[in-house]
Amino acid sequence: MLGRVFLARVIEPGDETGGRWVRERGAVEVARRLRDGGRALPGVSEKRWAGLCARARGADPHRDLAVARAAGARFVTPGTAEWPGQLDDLGDARPLGLWVRGGPSLRMWALRSVAVVGARACTEYGAHMAATLAAGLAERGWVVVSGGAYGVDGAAHRGALGAGGATTAVLACGVDRPYPPGHTALITRIAEQGLVVGELPPGDHPTPSRFILRNRVIAALTRGTVVVEAAYRSGSLVTARAARRLGRHVMGVPGPATSALSAGVHELLRGDAVLVGDAAEVVELVGAMGELPPERRGPVLPTDLLEPRTRHVLAGLPARGTASAAEVARRAQTTQDDAIARLYELRALGYVERHGDGWKLTRQAMISVRGGRSPC
């Protein structure tokens, strides 16, 4: 573990060359070679090796572990009971280890988790959809994973917390250093009620490249990724593409066709992403067999309960004025006797009334018939 803590301070997240060294030689041997500063390991230039060795001279795993303990964090490494096995799908880009704040088991929570990501500068619609989706997932027993950022990420975390559910924030910095600063209270609450996770050692700051590399952890950790609002260059699309490469489900929440913030989501949906509108549709994809959303249909109108041939007779009456039984029978394509019998049935139900030798629709029937028509 000390070797991996040491390397986490020296090697950048997602460095496949460093990951290959660890896989082939072991963390202890790689740490020793970097600390000694001898001949470069294969796959790097002399200049880069010198830079890594310079970093290694300032690394102190005992100090990092002490700082982490003071912040209530622990270091979880591959092969231990708490390590989520699905992170191994990243191959040599797998994290050397993860710093974790919070009481629950990271491995157990990751088994039933969904990522909800999207634009930082989201609209009210995006924030509403992210919070509603997260709350619905949390109520169904799913862990909501996001990046702790402004916009969709923050809305997703708050939605899950507000529903009394579970949420995990995967940071692009040290877990003892909440980022962005404006979310310090939110990330502190997540650490108390859920989990805060990061690859970088205590005190390390985020950079643009670290945000991008962090997204592969979100994608690998979860059963699927839902993107809520994303422009063409949004970092959340990196998460979606990583999820696709790893064989995870990729989902998108559509927005207005004219919204630039939804253009990236729509591009995903034009590919192989699945359109979702609520938590039930997300669970249908990522959940167990048989976890299906309820059947969707419009409201049931009173006339829907009529026998089909009776509805045909009702439809044979004009919208205004009266019609004889013979005219109704002709329009309903039935006999006059059958039309009369059904007209009396409709009168008993309050849909028609008789005027002399003619029949006409009642006000109740007009409202019911109009209710079933499209406003277009």
Side-chain angles (χ1 to χ4, degrees):
M1 185 187 72
L2 283 173
R4 288 182 176 272
V5 173
F6 175 88
L7 293 175
R9 176 67 70 178
V10 178
I11 298 174
E12 279 292 306
D15 186 332
E16 294 190 48
T17 301
R20 187 177 71 251
W21 292 341
V22 172
R23 174 172 54 82
E24 294 175 349
R25 300 166 183 267
V28 174
E29 173 62 16
V30 175
R32 185 189 67 78
R33 293 284 296 270
L34 285 164
R35 191 181 293 112
D36 293 347
R39 185 164 54 88
L41 288 169
V44 294
S45 65
E46 290 296 332
K47 184 182 294 185
R48 186 176 172 210
W49 179 255
L52 290 171
C53 292
R55 274 191 172 194
R57 286 192 290 273
D60 184 346
H62 294 284
R63 181 185 62 204
D64 285 340
L65 287 171
V67 173
R69 279 194 297 270
R74 59 191 179 276
F75 192 64
V76 177
T77 59
T80 58
E82 196 179 351
W83 181 257
Q86 56 265 50
L87 289 176
D88 298 341
D89 294 345
L90 291 169
D92 288 337
R94 178 184 70 175
L96 294 163
L98 289 174
W99 301 90
V100 181
R101 282 176 65 194
S105 165
L106 176 61
R107 176 178 175 273
M108 297 307 297
W109 272 32
L111 291 174
R112 193 173 168 86
S113 63
V114 179
V116 179
V117 297
R120 285 179 172 81
C122 67
T123 64
E124 289 185 13
Y125 164 78
H128 169 77
M129 289 303 300
T132 303
L133 273 172
L137 289 166
E139 289 167 355
R140 288 166 171 78
W142 286 81
V143 178
V144 176
V145 179
S146 200
Y150 292 130
V152 166
D153 288 16
H157 290 307
R158 291 188 182 96
L161 292 170
T167 188
T168 299
V170 181
L171 305 185
C173 56
V175 294
D176 63 329
R177 181 176 179 169
Y179 187 89
H183 273 180
T184 298
L186 173 62
I187 292 171
T188 301
R189 186 182 171 197
I190 293 171
E192 294 169 351
Q193 189 171 324
L195 291 172
V196 176
V197 178
E199 290 180 80
L200 291 158
D204 255 19
H205 63 280
T207 63
S209 63
R210 287 173 171 179
F211 282 116
I212 297 299
L213 291 164
R214 177 273 312 270
N215 293 344
R216 83 194 193 288
V217 177
I218 295 176
L221 200 60
T222 53
R223 299 277 290 272
T225 294
V226 185
V227 183
V228 183
E229 286 197 326
Y232 283 123
R233 290 175 55 85
S234 172
S236 58
L237 300 182
V238 175
T239 311
R241 287 191 286 269
R244 182 188 292 123
R245 286 194 303 272
L246 293 165
R248 310 295 197 260
H249 294 286
V250 180
M251 296 153 278
V253 176
T258 55
S259 172
L261 277 176
S262 290
V265 180
H266 296 162
E267 191 66 22
L268 288 176
L269 294 174
R270 282 167 53 83
D272 55 3
V274 178
L275 186 151
V276 293
D278 58 25
E281 293 176 350
V282 174
V283 173
E284 180 185 21
L285 282 177
V286 301
M289 186 178 295
E291 291 189 71
L292 302 176
E295 183 181 355
R296 312 302 172 108
R297 58 175 299 170
V300 177
L301 300 172
T303 52
D304 294 337
L305 304 178
L306 296 174
E307 196 267 336
R309 291 171 64 189
T310 304
R311 285 204 302 270
H312 291 159
V313 170
L314 181 62
L317 285 159
R320 292 184 178 81
T322 61
S324 66
E327 291 172 325
V328 173
R330 186 171 64 254
R331 291 172 182 166
Q333 299 181 30
T334 187
T335 64
Q336 185 170 337
D337 289 343
D338 182 58
I340 290 172
R342 294 183 186 280
L343 284 167
Y344 275 104
E345 177 188 346
L346 289 167
R347 187 177 73 168
L349 294 170
Y351 288 112
V352 302
E353 54 190 23
R354 187 169 183 177
H355 287 263
D357 293 332
W359 296 83
K360 69 177 293 186
L361 294 172
T362 62
R363 180 175 177 80
Q364 173 188 335
M366 293 291 291
I367 294 171
S368 180
V369 171
R370 285 174 181 168
R373 292 175 181 165
S374 167
C376 296

